[in-house]
Amino acid sequence: VIRVANFKCAAADIKIAYRGCLTGKNREFYDASLCPCEQFDITLLASAALEGKEELLDYLKTTSYKDAAGLLAGDFVAFEKWCDDSVMDIIRTAKAEPFGFAPLAAYWIAKETELKNVRMIMSAKQNGFSEDSIFERMRKLYV
């Protein structure tokens, strides 16, 4: 559960930095918005975002989120899918724990992901998306 919280915090910081970079936010915005996390230094993340998109992606390539940098360079939707799929990979370890809070938290996260997939399918069907584009947006499931 702690690993999921740390990952979600880091992913949220990356999303904030990326969107802030694209919209030209200032240092005060990053100081107020970014949450300290174990994976990287948020002051370096903010400095890179202030320099521009390429500098932000170059900084991310030096962290454990180099996969995220590659996805952000191409498509933000792919990055968000990668984040959701990574959370599912993390919570899969809770299956082996017979007692404690982890299996309950994993179940909760899994149900949220299932509902997100159902909402995506329904919305895509209403808007006439092809089956291929729907399948590429689907998140991993906890089975």
Side-chain angles (χ1 to χ4, degrees):
V1 177
I2 302 283
R3 287 180 49 213
V4 171
N6 286 333
F7 179 83
K8 284 191 170 225
C9 179
D13 283 345
I14 293 170
K15 289 176 187 179
I16 290 167
Y18 183 76
R19 289 176 177 153
C21 174
L22 294 179
T23 57
K25 298 296 185 184
N26 59 17
R27 171 65 77 172
E28 291 79 31
F29 169 79
Y30 294 112
D31 291 341
S33 302
L34 297 177
C35 178
C37 65
E38 296 174 358
Q39 286 80 3
F40 46 77
D41 184 0
I42 60 170
T43 56
L44 293 176
L45 181 70
S47 297
L50 286 167
E51 294 292 320
K53 181 180 172 182
E54 289 304 316
E55 286 77 11
L56 175 63
L57 297 177
D58 288 341
Y59 171 70
L60 288 174
K61 289 176 186 174
T62 66
T63 68
S64 59
Y65 291 88
K66 54 184 162 278
D67 295 338
L71 292 170
L72 281 173
D75 184 14
F76 190 75
V77 173
F79 170 73
E80 288 188 324
K81 181 182 182 320
W82 176 80
C83 288
D84 291 341
D85 289 347
S86 295
V87 168
M88 293 308 290
D89 290 338
I90 293 169
I91 67 169
R92 280 195 192 347
T93 61
K95 286 182 179 181
E97 295 181 34
F99 303 107
F101 181 69
L104 180 61
Y107 178 78
W108 182 270
I109 293 168
K111 286 299 171 188
E112 284 181 335
T113 303
E114 288 176 8
L115 290 173
K116 186 183 293 187
N117 277 341
V118 168
R119 282 192 293 271
M120 263 191 285
I121 291 170
M122 291 174 60
S123 177
K125 288 285 190 184
Q126 286 178 339
N127 291 306
F129 281 59
S130 69
E131 283 189 27
D132 292 336
S133 68
I134 294 172
F135 281 120
E136 72 185 28
R137 287 178 169 80
M138 299 298 296
R139 280 26 179 185
K140 285 184 183 177
L141 295 176
Y142 181 77
V143 287

